[in-house]
Amino acid sequence: MVIEDLGVISRTSVCLHPGLTVITGETGAGKTMLLTGLGLLMGGKADPASVRPGATRAVVEGRMHLPESSAAREIVHEAGGELDDDGSVVVVRSVAAEGRSRAHVGGRSVPQALLADVAGELVTVHGQADQIRLRTQSRQRDALDAFAGKEHAGTLAEYRRTWHERADVERRIEDLTTHADERAREAEALRRGLAEIERVDPQPGEDVDLTALVARLGNSEELRAAAQTAHLSLVGDESADASESAVVSLDRARRALEQVADSDPEMSALARRLVEAEYMLNDVASDLAAYVDGLQADPGGLESAHARLAELTTLTRTYGESIDDVLAWASAAGLKLLDLDDDGAGLDALRERHAELDAGLRRLADQVTEGRVRAARELDEAVSAELAGLAMTGARLSTAVEPADLSASGGDKIAMQLVPHPGAPPRPLGKGASGGELSRVMLAIEVALAATRGAHGGGPRTFVFDEVDAGVGGRAAVEVGRRLAQLAQRAQVIVVTHLAQVAAFADRQLVVAKDTTGGSTVTGVSEVTDDARVSELARMLSGQDDSSTALRHAHELLESSTVQP
């Protein structure tokens, strides 16, 4: 991991290896900034105030290894990111001084939330805030469910799917029953409309045709006079001299051309065109005669057309701008009425489905409860055994699984209680446990969960503990370090600590130190080994890295801090 211009860190490179890595340093040296950088890679909130003064942005870059079985790989692939050949992916997070934050995974720009999704599959972070959350029933329930294993997780997932489906069915039933009167009124309005349309029986486009007919019949005299004049102009009047009619004139012109057609092909072609014109004039004349006869044949047609158009207008005022719109409304209304009329049968079916889901939900809730009760016994035994090794001899965890109203998480109320010593009454973690006790209980639970994950294959592969040893000292501190080292045999563990007893168990120790030379404060991170590590442990023990007594004690801690595989 490379950090640039974050808080007091100008630039530093940190390599977090497998096993147990501890981060130590003087108070105020910048250990928090190191964790802040790690938090940014895991999708944590970006704070522009954390950018180093004078810098335009802070950048954190890291490489995460994604196991083949991890869902994190699918998350990265769906975002368009690319994995390297070894299954790792490069993650970059930048925070601008003016407040903008950018994230990249596998070369692709992604939302901040996606980093949290990836980290959620790989990393578990514990800090003081997590100790507070451990006091809540929801966090205790989550821990118990995680310990219960894969089969229980599958049952719980099925329960939650059933819960959500039942809730959806309940909403639909409520909608049907609550709005029953409204639906009945809607159905009655649809029936009245369909009955009115059925009585009038409009035909497609009928209003358009009638409007044209009314316009024609309303101007029948003018139309008749114009048609007769045109007809007489074409064919003439039998009672008068028709020698100047258009048909006679056209016929005379045709005959004139035909007389010389043999002399010139062009004249022959023109004569044929006049023949075609004669046919057209005769057709037009016949149509004009029929038009005049039609106007004269139906003297009551205008009144009838007006009456029919009035009927159609009553429909278009209510159901659409045209008769075609009215017919479209009738078609849609018929389908809607079928749905409304089917509400009764649909409601019965929904109630039947609700009863099935309710029965299935209660059966699954019983199975979830059985899994939690069984897991509670096993978790209590495992955690109590760990507490004995964490200098809490006689203390034990007592997890109660009590009945509760069904919810999305089951029908149980989980209460983790600590019995501090034999004969003492159980005390809820949320009320009676001190910070140091909570630290050790949380570590004991995590060790127990790690064993479960190892048995079932899955779960986070990296754990980050921020001062999990708060409120702990003496032999208890030694045992905290021992348990962290045991956890590190199954996963990567990163711990920020101020206790030499814990740091002595580390596979690698990183020291965060400030350099105030040059007129500014710069924090650097370096790995200490051999004598340098002994000196750092001595400083943690006594505040002095050259005290002979502290140095001897540091040597003793290192020699005694071994963990059997």
Side-chain angles (χ1 to χ4, degrees), residues 17-153:
H17 294 274
L20 176 59
T21 298
V22 297
I23 300 171
T24 63
E26 299 264 5
T27 300
K31 298 190 294 296
T32 299
M33 281 298 106
L34 198 60
L35 287 183
T36 298
L38 188 59
L40 287 173
L41 290 183
M42 295 189 295
K45 183 179 179 180
D47 183 4
S50 65
V51 178
R52 182 174 172 80
T56 58
R57 63 173 184 166
V59 180
V60 184
E61 180 177 339
R63 180 180 293 275
M64 297 182 181
H65 180 75
L66 310 184
E68 291 186 6
S69 59
S70 174
R73 286 198 175 204
E74 183 177 352
I75 295 173
V76 172
H77 282 309
E78 288 180 354
E82 295 184 1
L83 301 182
D84 290 343
D85 293 340
D86 61 353
S88 64
V89 64
V90 174
V91 181
V92 181
R93 185 82 181 275
S94 63
V95 182
E98 62 268 23
R100 292 180 299 173
S101 169
R102 298 182 184 277
H104 293 78
V105 173
R108 181 61 61 91
S109 178
V110 299
Q112 167 192 336
L114 186 131
L115 295 186
D117 292 340
V118 172
E121 298 293 332
L122 304 173
V123 184
T124 295
V125 180
H126 288 292
Q128 296 298 317
D130 295 275
Q131 292 183 17
I132 295 173
R133 286 196 291 270
L134 186 60
R135 302 171 185 261
T136 65
Q137 291 186 356
S138 61
R139 184 62 182 268
Q140 293 172 10
R141 183 188 61 238
D142 292 343
L144 181 61
D145 287 336
F147 183 80
K150 281 188 174 181
E151 183 177 350
H152 174 79

Side-chain angles (χ1 to χ4, degrees), residues 26 123 127 147 272 414 419 439 465 502 542 562:
E26 299 264 5
V123 184
F147 183 80
R272 287 195 297 273
I414 308 302
V419 180
S439 296
F465 292 93
V502 173
S542 67
T562 57

Side-chain angles (χ1 to χ4, degrees), residues 476-526:
V478 174
E479 295 305 326
V480 167
R482 192 183 310 280
R483 290 306 182 277
L484 288 170
Q486 289 175 347
L487 180 60
Q489 292 179 343
R490 304 186 182 97
Q492 181 185 40
V493 180
I494 302 165
V495 181
V496 176
T497 182
H498 64 281
L499 294 179
Q501 294 93 327
V502 173
F505 281 91
D507 298 302
R508 288 176 176 81
Q509 182 170 353
L510 305 179
V511 177
V512 181
K514 290 190 296 187
D515 182 2
T516 57
T517 60
S520 62
T521 301
V522 177
T523 289
V525 182
S526 60

Side-chain angles (χ1 to χ4, degrees), residues 128 130-135 140 392 418 428-430 432-445 468 470:
Q128 296 298 317
D130 295 275
Q131 292 183 17
I132 295 173
R133 286 196 291 270
L134 186 60
R135 302 171 185 261
Q140 293 172 10
M392 293 179 67
L418 180 66
L429 291 182
S434 66
E437 288 173 332
L438 271 179
S439 296
R440 283 178 278 178
V441 170
M442 185 174 66
L443 178 58
I445 290 175
V468 69

